[in-house]
Amino acid sequence: MRFEGKAALITGAGSGMGRAMARAFQREGAQVVAVDVRAEAAEQTVAAMSAERGGRDSFALAVDVTDGAAVDAAVEQAIARTGGLDVLCNNAGVLDGYAPAHETSLDLWQRVLSVNLTGPFLLARRIAPHMAERGGGAIVNTASISSFVAGGGGAAYTASKHGLLGLTKQLAFDYGRDGVRVNAICPGAVATEMTASLRVPSEANAHVDAQIAATPAGRWAEPEEIANLALYLASAEASFIHGTPVLIDGGWTLS
Ligand SMILES: NC(=O)c1ccc[n+]([C@@H]2O[C@H](COP(=O)([O-])OP(=O)(O)OC[C@H]3O[C@@H](n4cnc5c(N)ncnc54)[C@H](O)[C@@H]3O)[C@@H](O)[C@H]2O)c1
């Protein structure tokens, strides 16, 4: 129960790693604010959590993380209902269809950057000072192997995830003295909705299978394995870790 009496706001909580994080934080005692642009998906996460923990006080908020006014209102509501936030997991993200630059429209570029980079900024600029005022907290940003290497996404996705590491470091630099630790998790291939089409056995996906088979782990990660790292980085056990990207990729980036 590493998060008993604490509150965690998790974006992208309607699916995949965000849902796994929501369940993991609640399992460890936290009240969870499950944020997702898909209201029904976020509600389903909370329903699953209620079944697991006999209806704790976790709740869902339907928010588009790219909408500054909506984020501000949601943060205000989350703080009012929880009494104060201890953890922020900036996890919502979208892929870009692996488009190279010449096939990336300005709309696609802006949408991917908005969700993957502007969203975490909009949440952090409200929640980091709030945490600082309360004496501390932890922010965990879901970055990617695409924060280090090319090919895990297209031009927009790779740029957005590189940018998210920059934001992580600057937030850590600016708020660390106030007790707010900011770190990033950098997953490789994880079995979620985002990657569902890549996991359908087909000729087109043969190169993905080969790439994964060549890693030391030799398999896709389960979302729960990534959630465990988010728990650790947000916990007191990680008290000396500031501004650090942690790879969790089954060895994908070793060679
Ligand atoms: N799946 C992978 O292999 C992988 C690898 C590395 C990094 N990531 C990153 O992990 C994070 C989670 O991905 P996942 O695989 O669980 O994906 P997912 O598609 O299963 O879940 C993403 C969730 O984010 C929500 N979302 C999308 N846009 C949003 C917005 N504007 N506002 C609020 N919520 C929004 C979606 O509705 C969805 O519920 C993403 O940031 C992704 O880039 C994924």
Side-chain angles (χ1 to χ4, degrees):
M1 302 296 271
R2 284 177 280 180
F3 294 91
E4 190 69 63
K6 297 194 184 293
L9 188 151
I10 296 159
T11 70
S15 171
M17 281 177 250
R19 177 170 286 179
M21 286 175 197
R23 296 167 79 165
F25 275 95
Q26 176 170 281
R27 200 177 57 240
E28 292 281 341
Q31 179 182 15
V32 172
V33 186
V35 167
D36 204 285
V37 69
R38 296 180 299 144
E40 206 178 312
E43 291 291 355
Q44 280 167 4
T45 296
V46 171
M49 288 157 58
S50 300
E52 282 165 9
R53 275 292 299 277
R56 269 183 70 90
D57 42 8
S58 294
F59 58 95
L61 289 179
V63 186
D64 180 342
V65 298
T66 69
D67 178 340
V71 167
D72 287 353
V75 169
E76 204 175 305
Q77 201 183 334
I79 290 170
R81 284 182 69 175
T82 59
L85 294 168
D86 304 284
V87 176
L88 164 64
C89 292
N90 271 318
N91 168 79
V94 288
L95 258 180
D96 60 2
Y98 300 92
H102 70 281
E103 287 170 13
T104 301
S105 66
L106 184 56
D107 272 0
L108 175 63
W109 173 266
Q110 283 171 340
R111 196 169 62 78
V112 172
L113 269 288
S114 285
V115 179
N116 295 2
L117 185 54
T118 308
F121 156 71
L122 291 172
L123 280 134
R125 74 175 176 152
R126 288 284 169 261
I127 294 178
H130 159 73
M131 288 173 170
E133 237 171 66
R134 322 176 65 228
I139 298 177
V140 180
N141 295 326
T142 307
S144 171
I145 51 170
S146 298
S147 302
F148 296 95
V149 298
Y157 188 80
T158 302
S160 73
K161 293 297 187 182
H162 273 66
L164 187 53
L165 281 199
L167 178 65
T168 301
K169 290 174 190 174
Q170 191 63 44
L171 291 169
F173 183 84
D174 290 335
Y175 299 101
R177 297 276 176 87
D178 299 319
V180 182
R181 291 184 306 100
V182 188
N183 292 292
I185 56 182
C186 304
V190 189
T192 66
E193 262 177 52
M194 182 178 275
T195 55
S197 63
L198 298 173
R199 285 178 284 113
V200 178
S202 72
E203 218 170 285
N205 286 338
H207 72 286
V208 182
D209 292 341
Q211 227 168 349
I212 285 170
T215 64
R219 64 173 175 84
W220 291 80
E222 294 302 324
E224 290 73 19
E225 296 179 275
I226 314 301
N228 285 334
L229 178 58
L231 278 180
Y232 169 70
L233 285 175
S235 77
E237 290 159 39
S239 53
F240 204 55
I241 307 182
H242 287 255
T244 300
V246 181
L247 278 162
I248 176 162
D249 67 352
W252 182 295
T253 50
L254 278 180
S255 57

